[in-house]
Amino acid sequence: MRPPPLVAAGLDVAFVNSSSGRSVNLGGLAVIFGTFPANLDEFLSLARLRLHLGAEQARELDPVLNTRVMALWAWLPTRGQDCYLEYDRATGTEQCWLIGPEAGACRAVDVAADADQLDRAFLDALVLNGPGHWGGESGLERLVERHGQRPLLVAAQVADALEHRPKEPRRALRLAQTHWPDLTSADDAAWLALAADENPWIGVQLGRLALRLGHLHAARRLLALSDDITATGVDSAPVAQFDLGQACEALSDLPAAEAAFTRFAAARPTDPDGWRRLLLVRLRLSQWSAADEALRRYRGAGGRERDLAERFVTTVARGRLRLKERAGLATWLSARVWAACDEALTLEAAIETAAARLRDDNEVAGVSGSAEQRLHDLLTRARAEFHAELLNTGDPADVERLVVQALRAVLLALPFAGVAHREDREREPSDLAELVAEALTRWSHWRLKTPRPFTHHLGWLTPLVALAINARPPRRR
């Protein structure tokens, strides 16, 4: 486990008798939040000046402060060591030791000889131990004024800008350019060079910026450096894994995206966004059982099914996914969160979206007459066949609801709201129709607990696929 960044203790020292010598008792222990020294001298002054606490805070820490010896531990992640200090109020003497990184390693600090190296380590620790010590945007600006445009400080400014102004990545870029002027929004080479040249934590922050500027390959390379900082316990590693997952997903490397989102979800199990993104990737990979587990964890983290359905409807309807992925997503969605899907997208809305795509387009797929009318005719046939197929499901009152869900799943599976994937445009509609039929069979298994094969009497499916695949791109409004 990573030690707390700064810990204070009070030690009472007393001589019991000449035979047993002195006795040391722990007067109190406190983790100090929001305060971290920028150099060794400030670390010493924390002990001398009672942690710079106000009167009220000091009273709360009387067991620590009203003792003979003030002890402080500061975690220095770049060295993998604790800097341990004892300040004796009775004698006015102070002594520092560096502890670690190997078990049992401990050496006294020579303040005169070690000060420069330790000053750098303390400033690095102030940055790496987390935003709670930075003092926000203004605090970082003061640190830059005091210590100069050091790479870690500039990277912290970038991280702070991305956190508090996520829709203004060019603002963060301008901050980065104060130290890395070659970084531009158009050239990948300078970004890629950072992966080999900079501290991993710096690379990760710049990788997050590269992702938001569209440098996907550079973002992936830089964000992968998060594996190098995980051992230090630096808190930005899980966030970097989330962004790494997004970069890999955008580059269509779904196995790598699944691995990154899995690491993020393990580190932040109470964050529903992590489980949602992991769920989406697992569905695209046809990992149905793993997707069910991700849904269970999403619910356990407080994720709302309505939010899930709305995001998935948007992804399925507008994302440029291959039809096999779309069909799997749409049928799983309609089976697993069907009630939320009923709220997020009605069948009438799905039909209207498809009709708007085809309206006044009389040459789609080489059919005669109105393409919109052709859509409605095919859906009428589909509704009748679904109704006949599902009559034996049990309660007749459920038949119409199941028909609606199956029809909506088909419409979501087909690219009526966006451009078809280029690979699908090169395939025969009959081959693509088989993928949808297979997905409908899985929907039956998931939703009805009956593997009903929807592979016969689907004469309407191939021409419906042809309408969707060959329709013109939607008009811009």
Side-chain angles (χ1 to χ4, degrees):
M1 294 178 62
R2 181 174 73 87
L6 191 64
V7 176
L11 305 175
D12 278 316
V13 181
F15 281 92
V16 181
N17 53 53
S18 58
S19 60
S20 60
R22 68 176 183 173
S23 170
V24 180
N25 299 312
L26 181 66
L29 186 72
V31 177
I32 308 302
F33 295 101
T35 297
F36 199 90
N39 54 40
L40 180 60
D41 187 60
E42 288 187 10
F43 185 49
L44 299 176
S45 74
L46 279 175
R48 298 188 199 107
L49 302 178
R50 298 167 61 88
L51 305 178
H52 303 291
L53 298 177
E56 187 64 31
Q57 293 173 303
R59 278 194 293 273
E60 293 178 2
L61 290 180
D62 276 346
V64 174
L65 300 176
N66 293 338
T67 53
R68 173 179 165 180
V69 175
M70 169 67 76
L72 288 175
W73 289 264
W75 170 241
L76 306 178
T78 54
R79 299 179 64 104
Q81 294 177 305
D82 277 305
C83 186
Y84 173 66
L85 164 69
E86 284 188 358
Y87 171 64
D88 190 333
R89 294 191 180 93
T91 63
T93 58
E94 54 205 18
Q95 179 67 60
C96 280
W97 293 266
L98 287 172
I99 302 174
E102 297 83 13
C106 180
R107 75 172 180 86
V109 171
D110 183 337
V111 174
D114 296 337
D116 288 344
Q117 290 186 359
L118 286 177
D119 283 351
R120 286 193 293 272
F122 269 99
L123 183 59
D124 290 347
L126 185 151
V127 173
L128 296 178
N129 280 322
H133 305 286
W134 299 350
E137 182 179 359
S138 61
L140 286 170
E141 289 176 353
R142 288 192 296 271
L143 286 170
V144 170
E145 290 174 1
R146 179 180 173 187
H147 300 283
Q149 297 283 351
R150 297 197 180 190
L152 269 173
L153 288 176
V154 176
Q157 289 183 301
V158 170
D160 186 75
L162 292 175
E163 174 68 23
H164 295 100
R165 293 181 174 85
K167 295 183 179 180
E168 302 178 35
R170 293 189 180 278
R171 176 187 177 89
L173 176 60
R174 289 192 296 272
L175 289 168
Q177 288 170 334
T178 61
H179 185 78
W180 299 278
D182 292 339
L183 295 181
T184 69
S185 58
D187 181 19
D188 275 357
W191 294 89
L192 286 167
L194 295 171
D197 295 343
E198 295 296 348
N199 174 291
W201 190 87
I202 294 172
V204 164
Q205 308 317 315
L206 296 175
R208 298 179 63 212
L209 175 57
L211 175 64
R212 284 149 183 82
L213 293 171
H215 298 288
L216 296 179
H217 291 284
R220 177 177 180 168
R221 181 83 62 82
L222 289 164
L223 289 165
L225 296 173
S226 59
D227 292 337
D228 296 334
I229 63 175
T230 299
T232 70
V234 174
D235 192 50
S236 62
V239 176
Q241 290 296 326
F242 188 88
D243 282 351
L244 177 60
Q246 293 187 86
C248 293
E249 190 176 9
L251 290 168
S252 298
D253 188 347
L254 297 182
E258 195 270 345
F261 286 131
T262 296
R263 290 192 291 269
F264 175 82
R268 301 282 177 86
T270 59
D271 187 337
D273 277 347
W275 295 111
R276 176 180 59 79
R277 296 301 295 259
L278 179 59
L279 173 55
L280 175 59
V281 171
R282 286 178 172 175
L283 290 173
R284 293 182 64 186
L285 289 168
S286 301
Q287 297 177 355
W288 312 120
S289 297
D292 286 339
E293 171 63 14
L295 175 61
R296 184 183 70 80
R297 298 298 298 270
Y298 172 79
R299 290 167 172 159
R304 296 174 61 243
E305 287 193 3
R306 174 65 182 270
D307 294 341
L308 183 67
E310 289 176 346
R311 287 179 178 270
F312 274 23
V313 165
T314 299
T315 299
V316 173
R318 297 180 183 176
R320 296 186 179 182
L321 307 178
R322 295 171 180 82
L323 188 138
K324 180 179 181 180
E325 295 175 345
R326 296 175 65 98
L329 276 164
T331 50
W332 186 92
L333 176 70
S334 192
R336 286 292 188 257
V337 292
W338 57 267
C341 201
D342 287 343
E343 298 175 3
L345 181 70
T346 65
L347 176 61
E348 291 74 15
I351 293 174
E352 175 54 31
T353 298
R357 173 83 183 275
L358 302 175
R359 193 165 290 138
D360 300 324
D361 190 347
N362 297 319
E363 300 178 359
V364 174
V367 300
S368 58
S370 165
E372 182 184 1
Q373 184 59 50
R374 181 70 168 155
L375 169 71
H376 286 289
D377 291 343
L378 292 171
L379 290 179
T380 298
R381 287 178 57 188
R383 182 186 287 272
E385 291 187 13
F386 276 137
H387 196 276
E389 187 75 29
L390 294 168
L391 272 178
N392 297 323
T393 58
D395 187 351
D398 289 338
V399 171
E400 183 56 29
R401 170 177 282 181
L402 293 170
V403 168
V404 165
Q405 291 169 8
L407 274 177
R408 181 175 51 211
V410 170
L411 287 171
L412 285 173
L414 300 178
F416 277 114
V419 179
H421 194 280
R422 58 181 177 80
E423 293 182 8
D424 291 336
R425 293 197 296 272
E426 297 170 358
R427 300 184 63 177
E428 291 296 325
S430 58
D431 294 337
L432 298 173
E434 290 183 7
L435 296 176
V436 179
E438 292 171 5
L440 283 169
T441 299
R442 288 194 298 270
W443 172 84
S444 174
H445 177 69
W446 293 327
R447 181 74 176 89
L448 308 175
K449 310 303 180 186
T450 303
R452 188 181 304 276
F454 285 93
T455 54
H456 57 284
H457 305 306
L458 296 180
W460 51 270
L461 186 52
T462 296
L464 185 62
V465 171
L467 276 176
I469 295 298
N470 296 296
R472 295 169 183 167
R475 296 184 179 90
R476 293 185 180 273
R477 296 178 180 267

